[in-house]
Amino acid sequence: MKKGFTLIEVVLTLSIIGVIAAITIPTMIHETNKKATIEQLKKSAATLNQAIYNATITSGQVEGWSWSTDEGIARIMQNTITPRLNVGYMCSGSTSTNSHCSYAVRGVDGDVQDINTMFQAKTRVLLNDGSLVAFTDANSFLNADRDDSDPDAGDIDKPTGSNCNWGGNSKTLCGVFMVDVNGNKKPNVVGKDVFYYGLYLSGAVLPYGANEGDEFIEENCTAGSSGKTCAAKITRNGWDVCYSNCGDGISEYPVKF
C-alpha cells in the first residue's frame, strides 16, 4: 500500500496551486479595491450634499456666496462648508512640508500636478475617515487646465455655465470638489482614488460633468484624458466600471483598481 505522496507529486500540486493563485488573487484584489472605492465615492457624495444642504440653511443659497475672489473661495470653504464636515485636520498656511495636505496627483493622461497649483491650502481638509477634500471655484478649476500658448492644447472641455454669478440656470457649475478617498496614500491617481464633484447653482453636489451628458463624460474619462469625469462615468454605469464590451458610445474605464 502506498503511503503519503512522492516529492514529485507534492511539487506538482504546489505548482498547480501557485498557478491558480496567480490567476485568482489579482482579480480578487481588483474587485476588493473597486468595491471599497465605489463605496467611498457613495459616502463622499452623501457627505458633500449634506454639508451643502446644511450650509444653505444658515448661509443662504449658493449663488449668494463669495465667488469673486480667491479669499472669498477660502472663506466659503473655511466658514461655510468645513463646519458641516467631519474634519480631522485643516490645511492652512504653508503646506510645502506637510505630506498630508500637499502631494502630487497624476491624471489618467500621466500628467502630474501638485494639488497646491489647483487648490489653495485654506480650501483643503482631511476628514476623520481618512479622505482629503479640496475645493475651488469653477473658473479657477477650468483655467488650471488651459495652455495660454495654445488655447486648444490640453484643455478640458468647458461645461455649459461656468460662473455662479450669472445665468440663473440651476445646472450652472459654481465650484468643484476634489476628493482623494484615501488621502495622501498611494496611488493618488485621478479615476482610481481621486475624483471630482461639481457644486451647482441648485445646491446639488454631483459627479463633475454629470450635467453635461454622455459625450462630455466620455471625452474626459478615457485613455489619455484628464480623468476628471470618471466619478460621473462610474455613477452613469450604475456605480460600476466596465472594461470590455461596454456598449455603444461607452469606452472602457481607463484605469484598473
Side-chain angles (χ1 to χ4, degrees):
M1 180 181 293
K2 180 179 178 181
K3 296 182 179 179
F5 299 96
T6 66
L7 178 60
I8 293 177
E9 290 173 329
V10 171
V11 170
L12 181 59
T13 301
L14 291 176
S15 298
I16 294 172
I17 293 173
V19 170
I20 294 173
I23 295 172
T24 59
I25 289 178
T27 300
M28 292 173 60
I29 292 174
H30 163 78
E31 285 297 317
T32 299
N33 290 342
K34 183 187 76 171
K35 289 179 180 178
T37 300
I38 290 175
E39 286 305 310
Q40 186 62 48
L41 270 179
K42 292 179 181 179
K43 180 181 178 182
S44 296
T47 296
L48 292 174
N49 272 290
Q50 187 64 51
I52 297 302
Y53 174 75
N54 291 338
T56 59
I57 292 175
T58 56
S59 301
Q61 296 302 307
V62 170
E63 63 185 289
W65 296 357
S66 304
W67 297 101
S68 59
T69 66
D70 288 345
E71 190 60 32
I73 304 306
R75 285 199 300 270
I76 289 174
M77 185 60 174
Q78 290 182 323
N79 302 334
T80 306
I81 299 174
T82 295
R84 282 85 188 176
L85 296 172
N86 191 9
V87 175
Y89 183 84
M90 291 190 65
C91 305
S92 61
S94 175
T95 60
S96 59
T97 59
N98 188 332
S99 62
H100 294 292
C101 296
S102 180
Y103 52 90
V105 173
R106 179 166 60 85
V108 173
D109 55 7
D111 184 36
V112 178
Q113 295 187 54
D114 192 290
I115 58 176
N116 281 318
T117 63
M118 189 173 291
F119 299 92
Q120 299 179 57
K122 292 181 180 180
T123 69
R124 296 189 296 246
V125 294
L126 284 169
L127 303 188
N128 282 325
D129 65 3
S131 61
L132 180 139
V133 175
F135 182 68
T136 191
D137 65 292
N139 281 325
S140 296
F141 176 77
L142 295 171
N143 289 336
D145 282 320
R146 300 194 182 283
D147 183 348
D148 292 335
S149 63
D150 183 356
D152 296 322
D155 292 356
I156 189 168
D157 288 347
K158 187 173 182 178
T160 56
S162 60
N163 187 328
C164 201
N165 291 320
W166 58 259
N169 188 333
S170 63
K171 295 182 178 182
T172 296
L173 182 68
C174 296
V176 177
F177 290 100
M178 184 198 82
V179 178
D180 189 330
V181 298
N182 58 355
N184 67 337
K185 296 178 181 177
K186 300 294 184 182
N188 301 326
V189 174
V190 178
K192 195 168 186 177
D193 60 345
V194 176
F195 300 91
Y196 293 86
Y197 290 88
L199 169 58
Y200 296 88
L201 186 63
S202 63
V205 178
L206 302 173
Y208 174 69
N211 274 339
E212 302 302 320
D214 292 349
E215 183 178 355
F216 181 81
I217 293 172
E218 283 298 320
E219 288 179 356
N220 296 291
C221 184
T222 189
S225 72
S226 66
K228 289 179 178 176
T229 59
C230 284
K233 189 164 186 171
I234 289 172
T235 57
R236 183 186 58 165
N237 198 44
W239 292 102
D240 202 356
V241 298
C242 175
Y243 290 111
S244 62
N245 301 318
C246 300
D248 293 339
I250 302 178
S251 62
E252 298 175 5
Y253 196 76
V255 296
K256 293 285 187 179
F257 288 95

